[in-house]
Amino acid sequence: MAKPTTKPRRQPEHTAWEPTDWQCITVLGALTGIFFLQILLGKAFLWEDFVYQWYPFRQFASSTLAAGEFPLWNPFTNHGMPFLAEIQTEVFYLPMAVLMFMVKDGRLDVFWLELVNVLHYFIAGAGMYYLARSFALHRLSSLFAAITFAFSGFLVAHAIHQVITGVVAWYPLVYLFFRRALVSQHGAWTWVVLAGLTLGHSFFAGSPQMSLFFYFFLLCAFLFELFNANGWNGLLRKPALAMSLRGATVILISLGIAMVQFLPTQELSGLSARAQITYEKASEGSLGWAQLLTLIVPKFFGAADAHAYTYWGPGPYWHYWETCIYFGVLPLLLALLSVRLLRRNSHVVFLVCFALFALLFSLGSNFFLHSAFFYAVPGFASFRNPARMGVFLAFIGSLLSGFSLHALIQGAAAGSEKTVWRKTLFVIAGAAAAFVMLTLLGVLDGVFPFLTQVQSGTMVHKELLVALGLLAAGAALLYAFVVRKGSSALLAVLACALAFLDLYQFGASHNTAAMNPEDHFRRSEPLVKFFKAQEGIFRVNSRNSQGMIMDRNQGMVDHIFTMEGYTPLYLQRLVIPAPTQEKAFDLLNIRYYTTTDTARGRLGLGERPRVLPRAYMVFASSVTHTGEESEKRMRELSFDPWKMAVVEDTLHSPLVPPVQEPVWRATIDRYRNNSIEVTVETDHDGLLVLSETYYPGWQAYVDQQPASLFRTNYGLRSIPVPKGLHSVRCSFEPESFTRGLSVSLVTLGVSLAGMLISWRRSRSGRASGSRQEAEPKKL
């Protein structure tokens, strides 16, 4: 009996032309330059938080490093606070750390900081390109995915939040290294070290929330690869155990590398006013169900960019940045078309499932998933803005669009599958077009009342027309792919061009502000010059209820001691209690303060002729045991900071005031960011009170011998000094930093040594295999 014959499977059709990897990367670099051309030419600048927070942070860090001092402490903001421990300062993040070499005359030109920020968009795109290539995707489909991710709405909207873009830019490259560490047959341990080092270094970029989200993604990716390669029955076999070991090692290396930042940040987080947040606070920045429409019409609810705040969506204006999930119309169509690949590609299944999870999590208080993680999963209760999980819609959507475009380029929609692909395309594009048309015709005016208003209605209708045009162009291009009308390579190039033009018209002007951040801080130059011309060390109160006479972070930029600041992790004991404002100003060494001319409606500058010094002696104390006790004692009208101190320490014995008025002198000989040196001469035992923030890690030395240091006057410091002439030094030496540095250095050393050993073994193995192949076989 003859065996039945089967029709041979049609081989995928390959394109006649394909660019090289370097050509694609060069194109990506050129597109990055075009997208941010105005910023690179110095004709426009980043705005909002970049001006008020990131530029001052970087200016202080870079100028401090350039001056030869490590920025552990910042004495110029909020009457002193940790600097390195505030993770968003990015002290250890290499792309930012190198800016210390760009400091000239104590100033960092904003161009260099903006250049580094723009560079991250290229890093994001290049990483996505090579990640897509690791899945054996065509180079043009990989370039398409790279363009989509690099210029996606999430990354563009968060350009003013460099810590977010800094972490997210490394997502593709870390995922690439992580996958290779898990599945590579040769040199897997080299990939383990690369993945661990890169992941650990990305933590230094300064957004623990985005790092936490990515760790969770990697956990899910590991579980998928483990089951995909070994199945249920093989989980306890050697290959699965080896894969588990490699995955765990990646995480351990990354955590070890990050310890130098993590431990100080963890210490600060526990003492910060944001140590505990409610679920209501954590759910701020939730994505609304209706905002899913912004996947097609990104500005359906308005926008908040460098030019205007025209946002009428759920929440305040800044919710526009947090809920921006747009990554292009054509990429969205291709990502949705990837459902046709679910049965043949298990990686597509995993990516689709995680994208669905990310979408539901992003809904925050509008769906139960976020609350479940808030209450049950460690770490997730520390952050707000759940819509930031939407970054994975762009990350995964870009990759899925690359998978679909690859299938079209390779001719997967050929033969009997053409009809299925055509119908799927018709349903997806038709549903999107129907929504746009119904909105344009006014059918949805009752659902969205802002459509009937002149300003918002006109803007939305304009955006709808743009979306309709992009839908038509994208659907036509994909239809041409399906029925193969023309060269697949040419169609793929057109797809890349259409995706870039779409994202360019959406976001290229989003961050092009006219104001130079340096000019913003120069507006207070006369005041800065005046303060610097004054003798002595003193603080400035730069704002009152009516406004500010200079920026809240002017102190970090120009090294002016201020009692204000703009930083997320401010300390719980930021406000020093006192019975009157005058005594509060005394406690904080305030010489100049902000006044208001009510008649003219103008702010002015007042001077306090009698100022309590930064370092002074008192000879009477009141001992308390808790912060509540200290606050109550200091708010009593009898409290006089010139004569007594409230010491919060059980080991301190209350000072008994002397019969005669003591004679003393306290002179600050040297004041640096991380240390203060004072010469004290007194004829009676007393307390040297420093109008400096108390914080764990400050150590006291009297005549070079360790001395006690007490939390005094609720949030300041004091050091017991016996009578006589003494040299007193207060130095910031946080144990959390020392321990973290040791762990990170050991991890780095062991990792590099392990990578070298792995590389040598892999190289010798390849050489041995080559020799065996070269030897003639014996008969």
Side-chain angles (χ1 to χ4, degrees), residues 143 222 267 293 307 445 561 586 611 618:
L143 178 60
F222 162 73
E267 182 178 57
L293 298 175
H307 308 285
D445 286 359
F561 295 104
D586 282 341
V611 184
V618 296

Side-chain angles (χ1 to χ4, degrees), residues 70 283 306 321 373 476 506 520 552 672 680 741 744:
F70 201 76
S283 60
W321 316 324
F373 272 73
F506 160 74
H520 169 76
R552 290 165 290 183
R672 294 176 64 83
V680 177
L741 180 62
S744 295

Side-chain angles (χ1 to χ4, degrees), residues 10 411-420 422 482:
R10 186 179 184 274
S416 61
E417 293 189 10
K418 277 188 177 183
T419 303
V420 180
R422 217 168 28 233
V482 172

Side-chain angles (χ1 to χ4, degrees), residues 135 175 179 224-225 228 345-352 403:
F135 286 101
Y175 183 34
R179 280 193 66 245
F224 162 74
E225 295 290 355
N228 191 48
N345 193 320
S346 59
H347 285 96
V348 172
V349 175
F350 163 69
L351 292 171
V352 168
F403 274 101

Side-chain angles (χ1 to χ4, degrees), residues 129-144:
Y129 175 83
Y130 284 109
L131 174 61
R133 290 288 293 148
S134 74
F135 286 101
L137 298 190
H138 189 279
R139 289 188 178 93
L140 287 174
S141 58
S142 300
L143 178 60
F144 183 89

Side-chain angles (χ1 to χ4, degrees), residues 607-626:
E607 183 177 5
R608 304 178 67 245
R610 185 169 179 262
V611 184
L612 195 60
R614 185 67 61 91
Y616 61 96
M617 293 291 295
V618 296
F619 301 91
S621 65
S622 176
V623 178
T624 62
H625 301 89
T626 66

